[in-house]
Every structure is written in structure tokens, then in C-alpha cells.
Amino acid sequence: MKIITLHVSDDALQVSYAPAGKPEAQREFTIAYNTDQSIGENLENLRVRLVGLDVDAAVVDNALSYPFSDTVVGINHQRIDIGLAITNMLNIPVVSSQAIADQGLEDALASKREYLSWHLDYYGQYAGKRNYGQEAMLTVGNGFFGLRGAYTEAHADDDNYPGMYTAGLYDQLTTNINGRQVVNEDLVNLPNAQALTFGVDHQNPFQIRASDIQDIYRSLDLHTGALTTTMLVQLSTGHALQIKTTKLANMTDWHRLAIRYSVTPLNFSGSLQIYSEIDGSVVNSNVERYRAFNQRHIQVTGTSRQPDTIFLEGQTQSSKVPFIFGSQLTGPGEALDAPVDTRSHAEQHIQQMRSVAVQPNQTYTFEKNVVFFTGRETSSPLDQAAATEINAATFADTLTSNTHYWEKRWHGADIQITGDITAQKLTRVNLYHLFSATQAIASGKIDASVNARGLDGEAYRGHVFWDEMFDLPVYALHDPELAKQLLMYRYRRLGEAKKNAQADGDDGAMYPWQSGELGDEQSQIVHLNPLTNSWDPDYSSLQRHVSLAVAYNVIMYTHITGDQSFMTAYGLEMLSEISKFWLSRAKLNSQTHRYTIDRVMGPDEFHENYPNADSTGLADNAYTNLMVTWLFNQVQTLRHELPAKAVAASDQKTGWTAKTTDQLKDVSHHLRLDISSAGIIGQFDGYFKLPRLDFAKYQKKYGDISRMDRILKAEGKTPDAYQVAKQADALMAFYSLDEQQVFGLLDQLGYHLPKGAFDKNLQFYLDRTTHGSTLSRIVYAVLTAMAGNMDQSWKLFSQALLSDYYDIQGGTTAEGIHLGVMGAVTLMTTRHYAGVDILAPKLSVNPHLPATWQQLDFAQLVRGTRYHFTIDHQHVQVTADKAAVLTIGDQQITLKPNQTQTISY
């Protein structure tokens, strides 16, 4: 084991490098601190100096003593957790010399590796979008509600945003924008019920101010979903305190939020006041560009109090959904009447208070338990439900429930990665967000689906997009009932999807690009271009491929779970209506006997229209037409395989006839694509007539060109006029299916591409894609892995894995994490790197582990059989709880129940 030892002074970093146990360093050097550079840039100098050296771990020999981390140091008149920073940079564990003295080197490093792989930590106080982004990453939730990881002492401002959301609760408001009445539906930001702070000797309650805060450390424990914030405070009066706050969203009794608030006076005796509040004056203001719209969705209808307990009732402004919050504050001391509230809109707040005599270096612990109900999921009187629930809620019960829930969830869903601390941590962070954003929906009591940003931000107004298709396979593998309930959200809106199609002059069902409360189209008519500060038309509703994503989810859910009852009761009806929509959109050219589908947009999103065209949308988008062909094939197969009685029942509901079947067969063999003589699949009809953009020129001028659409519009141009893409489009079908299936579809349509066409198409579109969406990187990570380019795949995968952690899009994580990317990264780890392809027609295993990963270990539930895989660079070890047959490499393997087989590959 090779170790670097760091001695940190205020103006330099002294480094020695040596194998463990060797008394003399092989290399020693000093890195002077450059005050013109950031801390990150200074630490990058360490990475440069270590090039060519193998480093397994680091030791800090003069770390400061703190209760939350053993690697905090002082440098350039400020403190940083150099351990966190170096782990992020070098992917190695970092421990203090004190930890080694206490535990020994091996145990200290093992303990730190284990800690890092199960905790998401942030050290220091941050401002603006950076803190907003950390709040999103630290959200606690249970699928019924999500609560951003803001300080309990904070209220919404430019640096802090304690937003709270419940699944499926939307509200519509109208705003006059330049004479136009613009209607927007938002996922409602709920009253701030976590609000909790302290005061000393009846002085003003503490507020978050940089001048009063010496240190802050936030840690999300993925074992339990507990978010702990440790804050060291020095008030202007000289009073010093340590504040430790732990928040939990109850994963089992999902109406409950629990907060433990521990205060330690460090240098004084006197009295301590604890102030608890429910603040109903909140608005939706997380997304700056939405602030021009009316965002006040909450109407408080009443408040009440009992000993130690307060309640706030209200309803949403236009949807009129009633809700109630109850909050109970317990702990040492006595309950006092809260001070008179002199703020404007005082009737929208309710407070409670406790006061206790305190001594220095003694810890005083309080509990705030919160319950929340709405009229959407609760049929009994809300006040009775809240009163009953608040009396049963305790922090200890919530912690016990969460420990049990997450122990079971991790047992079934964890992906263990050996050899990569960062990938291990962030893979678990992704799984944490995937389930904490949705779990309560599995109850069947909440009419909602997984939205693009989870329950921790207001971007995309909390709507449901095609991103579901990137997450649903993960849910189907680990919680089939949850996956089913997410699909039921779409089934319950099938009638609205049929109305959408009818309004557009089409048959069947057309699902909206943005779906919310009812399932009608919620896409914005205009959107703000931040480069020009002007409102541009928004044609994104033309992304009709969202209906194909719904169909894909239905088919893949059934394929993964084997749940044929869902297909017969709901799925076939949905697929039939979606197919009828596409049949009505397919227009026959009698001369070529090819069908065209026009007035659509592909996933690219940069291309909305043809330049100088009078009509909107594009024709013969490759992804759309290929997936329509695939859907039609699937429907024909299902109609043969499902019981005749079920098919007849579906036909009666949908009006499906023998003529419909004949049309389906004809269209599925004659859809048109635009394919060049070199075998390049045109993104849409006429794509090859567009000129290329000089990316190098634009990068030199603008640096980041990921949102090339905004740059071009700011120059008075349009991305419609160029071969430029935001994200994968023409090749998206290869991601959703695989190379063999897509080329089979092309052959079926009469397009026979030459050998090597996939690689040529991949490079063609990589050269034209700006990756303006985080989804782009993970899709292309899959595609490059399919092409055997593992280095490029790993680079793109890593960017996607780190995208929310580092907020690589410059502030978008502040508005909510990207749940679609999290699902896609998780699935790629097992489907492409481990090679366990559960989406293929038959279960197969073809590993391609990244070079830095030593081993992958995970379990999956596939069609009722639970498989456990351990995969390294030479072997696949597999166990199934039932007899099973699968293919590993080119070998067909027969498994007996609970008997492990090890296969070399």
C-alpha cells in the first residue's frame, strides 16, 4: 500500500510519499498555496505532482479536532475538509494520524472506506445555487413528500430554500405576460413545517447568517435516510453553541416527518428558547426564471393549537385540494406562549415555544414531529387524521421504521462496487433518490408518478415526462408493485390522452409531453431564454414520442416482472390506443408506398421546425418511426400470445378491428426513414440538407456550448437550420432496445445498412451533439460501450454519474436532481458494465467491467426469480432461488435452486 502524508500549514501543503510502514519517504515536496487560485485549483496542483505515482490512501498528520470529521484543516485563513476534497479528486480514503493511533492503519482506512460509501457529506457554508444544489442532493423523502435538505433555521431566500412537496399535488395559476394570459401548473411548494430554531435569554431567534456560523457539516446517512446537520455558532453577543439537527421522512408511516434538535451551550449558562413554526406564507420560488409568474399556490384557511401541538390547515388556490399540517414540539423545560407575531400575514403562520435553563457543555435535545395529510389520499376528516397521527409519532419510531425499511431495501437493491469509492457512494445516492422520491406510491393510495426532478425542486414544474422510461426498469427489478402503480398513473389518464388526440385531429391516445394532475398537456407556450432575457415560443409539446415511452414502459414492465395480469387488464388497452394514434398519424405516399409521420419532434429538442416552413414540427423522425415499428410488432405478438378473451375485451373497449390489424401490419413494414448512401440514419427527413456547425469556433467564443440553441437564438439564428443536437435522437432506439433488434427493424422496413454502420452512425452523431442534457451523456455512454469503446464510455458514464453531485450544468441541480439520469446510470451499471441484460428477449450476461472496478455484486428479481450476481474481470458467479436458464457469454447455463455456479468468460 502506497500512502501520501499531508502536513497542512496556512500557506503550503507538505507532502511525503512512501509505502505503508516504511520509515523513510521515497519522495517529498511542498506545494505553496496560490492565493490567486481557489482551494480546488490549489488541490489540483497536488494531483499534478502525483502523476505517475500509485497512491492508495492519504494521511493528514495535523488535522483539527471536530466531532463530525477527522480531516478538517486550516489553510489560507479558512477551514476545509481536505479528506472529502482529496477523496473526490483521487478516489482514495483519507484519514487522520489520530485515527491511525486509535484504530491502526488498516482498520482506520477500512472504516473510512465504509463510511464514505454510505454517506453523502458537505462541509462548509455555501450560498446561491451551490447551496440550493446541495439542498436538493440532501433531500429527505418517502414518496409521499420530499423535503429539501435546507437548514431548519432557514427561510426561503437567495441562499436557502426549505421547499417541501407531495407527490401529485398540482395547482394552476394564470399570469399576464406581455399581454398574454399564460397558464402554468406547478407542483405545489407546501408550507414550511420543518421551521425550528433557538434563542438565548429571550433574545431574537437565531437566523442563518454567515457572520454567526463558524462551521457547518451536513451528512446524509444512506443506511437510514437520516440527514444530520452539525453547526457551530458564535453569536454577536459572544454566546457559542453547537446545534445538531437530524431529519427523517418516515418510509413506512409516510405521513410523518421527524426532527431531533440537540443544542449544546459551549460557554454560557442561562436560558435557551426553542421556536417551532409552520409557515404558510410560502410561494413557489425555487426556479428563478419562473418568478415572473404568479406562484402563490397556498391559501391558509385556519390555525389551531393544543398543549405542545399546533395545526395549520389550508388548500391550494385553484385545484382546491385541502391539506393539514400538525406539529408537536417536546423536550426539556416548559412550554410557553410564543411571542406575538408582528409580521405581515401573521395569520399564515403558527408558532410554539419551549424554554429551559441551561448549563455550559450540557446537551439539550428536543423533538419536533410533523404530520401531513391532504384530501387526495385521505378520505376521513383531515383534522381527525392529523390529531391521531401526531400523538403516535416519535423520532425513535421513525428511526426504527427507516432502519428496517432501508435494511430490506439495500439487501435487495444495493449494487456493491469494489475498487471505486466515488462510484460506490454515488450509485447508492442514486438508488436512495429513486426510492425516496416514490416509495409511498407503491401503497396504491397516491395517484402520482415519478417526475423528472423527484420531490426536491421545482424545475419542469414538477411534471411527469418521458424520463419515467429511464427509471422504471430499476423499479420493476426491485419493487414490481411500485412500478405497477407508476404505470397506473398513466392508465388512469388514458381517457385524457384520448381527448388530447381527438383535439389534435387524431385517433387513439396521445399522452402529453408534460403531465400533471389530469393528464392534459402542461407544456409551456413560451419559455425564457436567459441569454436574451426574452420569451421564445415553446414547441416541446410536439415530442409525441412520450406516448412511445409509455408503451415501452408497459411492455418492459411486463417483460421484467412477468405480470401478465397487468397486460390483460390494462396494458393491452393502453398499447392499442397508442397504436391507433400512430396509425392515424401515418400518411401514405401512394407513389412510394411509404408512410410518413409528421408534425413531431424527436428527443433532440433543438430541432422544432423546418426553417422557413409554415407548419410546425418535423417529418419522419428516425427514433419515432423505429419505435412505432417496434411497438406495432409487439402489439401483433401480444394479440397472438394473450388469451383470446382478454384480447376481445380490449378490442371492445378500443374499437380495434381486423382492419386495424391489417393497417398495423402494412405500416410496420413501410414507414419512411431518411438514410444516406453511406448508411447514416437521418435524424429526420431533410436532415442531410442542413449545414454543420463549427463547434471549435463556438467553443472558443463561448466556452460551454451545451445549450447551443440559446447561443444561436441570441445571435439571431436558429438551431433548426443546423446539424446540431442537444442529446441522442436518431440513435436513441439502440439505447432502448439493442443493436440486433434495431437492425432487425431497419431490415423489416426495407433498409439494409452496410457492415459497420452502427459505429459510423455513432461517430457521426457524437460529432454533432453538445450534450445539453444530462441524459445525453448516459445514453452515449451506453452506445459507446455497445461499440466497444470503453474509454469513451467510461468518460461519459463518469460525467453522468457525477452530474448532480458536481452540478455540471451550472445550477440546474439547484432546481431538483435529475432522476432520469440517476435511473439510467443505475441500469447501465448492471445492464451494460455487468452485462446482465434484463431488457433483452432472453436473460443474458456479457460483462464489460470498467478497468478500475474490481468486482460488482448485486441481486435482481426477473420474472419471479431472484438472481444474485458476483462479477469480476474473469468470472461470473450466479445464484437463483428457482431453477433457471440463462446465457453467459456464449454458454447456456442451467441453474438449480440456490446452488451457485461460477462461469469463466
Side-chain angles (χ1 to χ4, degrees):
M1 181 184 298
K2 297 180 175 61
I3 293 177
I4 55 171
T5 301
L6 308 174
H7 183 87
V8 184
S9 62
D10 193 47
D11 59 0
L13 187 64
Q14 297 173 22
V15 184
S16 62
Y17 171 81
K22 297 291 184 180
E24 296 184 1
Q26 291 183 353
R27 286 177 175 80
E28 293 184 323
F29 50 88
T30 299
I31 300 174
Y33 192 91
N34 185 342
T35 57
D36 293 330
Q37 295 179 331
S38 67
I39 289 178
E41 290 170 330
N42 274 276
L43 289 178
E44 182 65 25
N45 296 330
L46 173 63
R47 186 210 296 268
V48 173
R49 293 295 297 270
L50 293 173
V51 169
L53 299 176
D54 293 327
V55 180
D56 301 305
V59 176
V60 182
D61 73 1
N62 64 330
L64 302 172
S65 177
Y66 278 96
F68 38 74
S69 173
D70 69 328
T71 54
V72 175
V73 298
I75 189 168
N76 192 38
H77 311 294
Q78 55 187 315
R79 288 177 298 279
I80 67 165
D81 190 335
I82 198 170
L84 279 181
I86 290 178
T87 296
N88 287 338
M89 184 174 69
L90 301 179
N91 209 3
I92 59 173
V94 183
V95 296
S96 66
S97 56
Q98 185 61 52
I100 295 173
D102 293 341
Q103 304 175 58
L105 177 62
E106 292 291 342
D107 287 349
L109 289 174
S111 176
K112 182 57 69 79
R113 287 191 194 94
E114 176 72 4
Y115 178 90
L116 290 169
S117 69
W118 285 103
H119 291 80
L120 177 63
D121 290 0
Y122 294 98
Y123 174 68
Q125 186 179 9
Y126 295 92
K129 287 188 175 182
R130 187 168 182 183
N131 191 55
Y132 268 35
Q134 292 178 7
E135 291 175 344
M137 290 291 287
L138 295 170
T139 292
V140 298
N142 54 24
F144 176 55
F145 68 81
L147 176 66
R148 287 166 61 90
Y151 310 118
T152 63
E153 300 86 358
H155 292 271
D157 56 30
D158 289 341
D159 299 321
N160 305 277
Y161 195 77
M164 182 177 179
Y165 315 94
T166 186
L169 180 57
Y170 296 95
D171 190 61
Q172 286 191 6
L173 294 174
T174 303
T175 309
N176 186 305
I177 299 291
N178 297 329
R180 173 184 291 180
Q181 298 298 313
V182 179
V183 179
N184 281 300
E185 179 186 71
D186 290 277
L187 186 71
V188 175
N189 180 30
L190 297 165
N192 178 11
Q194 73 154 0
L196 189 62
T197 190
F198 68 91
V200 175
D201 293 337
H202 295 277
Q203 299 180 64
N204 290 332
F206 171 76
Q207 299 180 25
I208 295 293
R209 277 193 294 261
S211 58
D212 291 337
I213 297 172
Q214 291 183 315
D215 274 298
I216 290 181
Y217 204 93
R218 290 180 284 185
S219 178
L220 177 63
D221 185 349
L222 303 173
H223 286 110
T224 61
L227 171 60
T228 298
T229 300
T230 304
M231 186 186 309
L232 298 178
V233 174
Q234 178 83 47
L235 301 178
S236 59
T237 56
H239 296 87
L241 307 93
Q242 176 181 288
I243 314 297
K244 188 174 182 179
T245 310
T246 301
K247 294 189 287 188
L248 285 163
N250 195 307
M251 299 299 296
T252 305
D253 298 306
W254 33 262
H255 290 283
R256 302 180 187 178
L257 164 70
I259 305 173
R260 185 169 59 197
Y261 197 68
S262 297
V263 182
T264 306
L266 300 178
N267 66 350
F268 69 93
S269 60
S271 70
L272 178 74
Q273 288 72 51
I274 302 299
Y275 301 93
S276 172
E277 180 180 16
I278 307 173
D279 177 5
S281 67
V282 300
V283 299
N284 278 52
S285 61
N286 172 237
V287 180
E288 185 176 359
R289 61 189 174 279
Y290 297 168
R291 293 175 187 171
F293 297 97
N294 183 0
Q295 297 288 76
R296 190 171 294 279
H297 294 284
I298 292 297
Q299 178 184 355
V300 175
T301 58
T303 60
S304 61
R305 68 177 66 246
Q306 298 172 4
D308 292 329
T309 307
I310 53 177
F311 296 92
L312 182 145
E313 297 179 73
Q315 65 180 14
T316 50
Q317 290 282 9
S318 63
S319 54
K320 303 299 181 184
V321 176
F323 63 82
I324 187 169
F325 279 90
S327 172
Q328 187 175 81
L329 178 66
T330 59
E334 59 178 338
L336 299 178
D337 291 336
V340 175
D341 193 340
T342 59
R343 292 172 293 183
S344 60
H345 308 295
E347 72 283 357
Q348 298 180 29
H349 306 252
I350 185 166
Q351 296 177 306
Q352 59 188 143
M353 168 183 162
R354 294 190 73 84
S355 183
V356 61
V358 296
Q359 297 296 320
N361 297 310
Q362 298 293 314
T363 299
Y364 302 85
T365 298
F366 304 83
E367 278 189 25
K368 177 173 183 174
N369 286 285
V370 176
V371 298
F372 167 63
F373 292 82
T374 82
R376 296 185 76 248
E377 82 295 335
T378 304
S379 57
S380 60
L382 298 186
D383 57 347
Q384 295 179 19
T388 301
E389 192 80 3
I390 196 66
N391 288 326
T394 66
F395 184 91
D397 177 72
T398 292
L399 180 59
T400 298
S401 295
N402 278 30
T403 301
H404 290 163
Y405 168 83
W406 284 109
E407 182 178 19
K408 182 178 178 181
R409 175 60 68 211
W410 291 123
H411 178 74
D414 191 22
I415 301 171
Q416 297 178 37
I417 302 171
T418 304
D420 191 331
I421 295 172
T422 301
Q424 178 66 89
K425 173 176 69 177
L426 294 181
T427 296
R428 285 175 174 151
V429 168
N430 289 349
L431 285 163
Y432 166 82
H433 277 286
L434 284 163
F435 286 102
S436 64
T438 56
Q439 187 59 63
I441 298 173
S443 68
K445 299 178 181 179
I446 301 169
D447 182 18
S449 186
V450 53
N451 69 54
R453 298 301 190 93
L455 294 176
D456 49 15
E458 296 164 18
Y460 302 146
R461 301 188 180 277
H463 288 146
V464 179
F465 289 75
W466 77 317
D467 301 59
E468 289 173 312
M469 68 177 283
F470 298 96
D471 298 329
L472 192 119
V474 179
Y475 296 130
L477 285 167
H478 301 297
D479 196 332
E481 183 60 31
L482 172 56
K484 177 182 175 180
Q485 291 302 326
L486 297 175
L487 291 174
M488 289 303 296
Y489 166 87
R490 292 295 195 178
Y491 180 76
R492 287 188 287 266
R493 286 153 182 79
L494 181 60
E496 196 66 35
K498 293 168 71 174
K499 292 180 184 178
N500 294 341
Q502 186 178 20
D504 204 50
D506 299 311
D507 198 2
M510 180 180 77
Y511 281 92
W513 177 237
Q514 295 192 35
S515 181
E517 172 67 22
L518 301 176
D520 54 342
E521 182 60 74
Q522 290 300 322
S523 296
Q524 297 177 55
I525 299 171
V526 294
H527 66 265
L528 179 65
N529 184 337
L531 296 185
T532 62
N533 200 34
S534 62
W535 297 94
D536 296 333
D538 190 328
Y539 299 105
S540 60
S541 63
L542 295 175
Q543 293 189 73
R544 310 302 188 199
H545 64 83
V546 66
S547 294
L548 293 167
V550 173
Y552 179 87
N553 290 342
V554 169
I555 293 166
M556 286 305 168
Y557 163 77
T558 307
H559 176 68
I560 294 170
T561 65
D563 184 1
Q564 292 299 318
S565 62
F566 176 84
M567 183 60 77
T568 56
Y570 311 105
L572 183 59
E573 181 185 354
M574 296 171 72
L575 298 179
S576 298
E577 294 288 7
I578 293 169
S579 295
K580 287 176 63 181
F581 165 71
W582 290 111
L583 286 173
S584 70
R585 293 298 298 270
K587 307 303 180 186
L588 178 65
N589 183 321
S590 58
Q591 294 182 337
T592 63
H593 197 73
R594 287 281 182 187
Y595 289 89
T596 283
I597 296 175
D598 60 9
R599 294 184 294 124
V600 299
M601 282 175 58
D604 163 33
E605 293 187 336
F606 279 1
H607 291 92
E608 301 170 326
N609 308 300
Y610 288 108
N612 301 311
D614 295 328
S615 59
T616 59
L618 307 165
D620 295 329
N621 171 255
Y623 171 67
T624 300
N625 286 11
L626 283 168
M627 293 306 292
V628 166
T629 304
W630 175 80
L631 170 61
F632 287 1
N633 289 349
Q634 294 292 316
V635 170
Q636 292 178 74
T637 300
L638 286 166
R639 292 181 63 81
H640 283 100
E641 293 180 347
L642 291 176
K645 186 177 179 180
V647 174
S650 174
D651 288 352
Q652 187 173 10
K653 290 181 180 179
T654 62
W656 192 282
T657 65
K659 182 179 178 182
T660 312
T661 300
D662 291 340
Q663 186 184 6
L664 193 83
K665 293 177 181 177
D666 189 39
V667 174
S668 68
H669 286 78
H670 296 98
L671 274 170
R672 185 182 179 280
L673 298 173
D674 190 0
I675 298 180
S676 75
S677 58
I680 302 299
I681 303 168
Q683 185 172 310
F684 49 81
D685 181 35
Y687 181 82
F688 297 115
K689 297 178 182 178
L690 303 178
R692 283 191 66 179
L693 272 175
D694 186 344
F695 278 10
K697 183 182 77 173
Y698 276 92
Q699 285 170 332
K700 184 177 181 180
K701 183 176 181 180
Y702 294 100
D704 181 8
I705 63 167
S706 58
R707 291 309 304 266
M708 181 59 78
D709 57 332
R710 293 172 176 170
I711 293 172
L712 289 171
K713 288 176 181 180
E715 292 185 345
K717 302 173 184 176
T718 171
D720 289 326
Y722 297 95
Q723 291 183 9
V724 58
K726 177 182 179 182
Q727 57 189 345
D729 190 314
L731 304 186
M732 185 65 205
F734 289 92
Y735 171 89
S736 301
L737 307 173
D738 59 35
E739 188 174 347
Q740 182 178 352
Q741 290 185 77
V742 175
F743 279 113
L745 296 174
L746 289 164
D747 288 341
Q748 176 179 320
L749 291 172
Y751 298 104
H752 308 293
L753 272 60
K755 185 178 180 180
F758 175 71
D759 290 0
K760 288 179 64 176
N761 274 270
L762 177 58
Q763 192 58 54
F764 181 89
Y765 282 105
L766 275 171
D767 290 343
R768 291 159 174 78
T769 302
T770 66
H771 304 301
S773 162
T774 50
L775 278 171
S776 183
R777 292 173 176 84
I778 192 60
V779 171
Y780 274 113
V782 168
L783 299 180
T784 49
M786 290 168 59
N789 189 344
M790 299 307 295
D791 288 343
Q792 190 169 18
S793 173
W794 174 251
K795 179 181 178 180
L796 291 163
F797 174 88
S798 297
Q799 290 172 352
L801 178 68
L802 294 164
S803 57
D804 276 321
Y805 187 50
Y806 287 142
D807 196 2
I808 64 173
Q809 290 191 308
T812 61
T813 304
E815 303 163 355
I817 51 89
H818 299 77
L819 209 59
V821 178
M822 290 182 168
V825 167
T826 302
L827 184 63
M828 183 180 178
T829 299
T830 58
R831 184 188 178 197
H832 295 280
Y833 285 162
V836 180
D837 193 355
I838 45 85
L839 301 187
K842 294 183 179 180
L843 185 61
S844 61
V845 184
N846 290 284
H848 297 89
L849 261 63
T852 57
W853 292 3
Q854 299 167 18
Q855 183 175 287
L856 278 173
D857 191 291
F858 58 93
Q860 293 182 334
L861 181 64
V862 183
R863 292 181 284 283
T865 300
R866 182 167 296 281
Y867 295 89
H868 184 272
F869 295 95
T870 301
I871 300 173
D872 61 24
H873 288 274
Q874 289 84 35
H875 307 97
V876 174
Q877 189 178 89
V878 57
T879 310
D881 64 355
K882 299 175 184 176
V885 176
L886 70 162
T887 302
I888 299 178
D890 57 1
Q891 305 176 62
Q892 182 170 295
I893 306 299
T894 300
L895 298 175
K896 295 180 180 179
N898 301 311
Q899 292 188 17
T900 302
Q901 286 202 44
T902 301
I903 310 299
S904 299
Y905 72 92

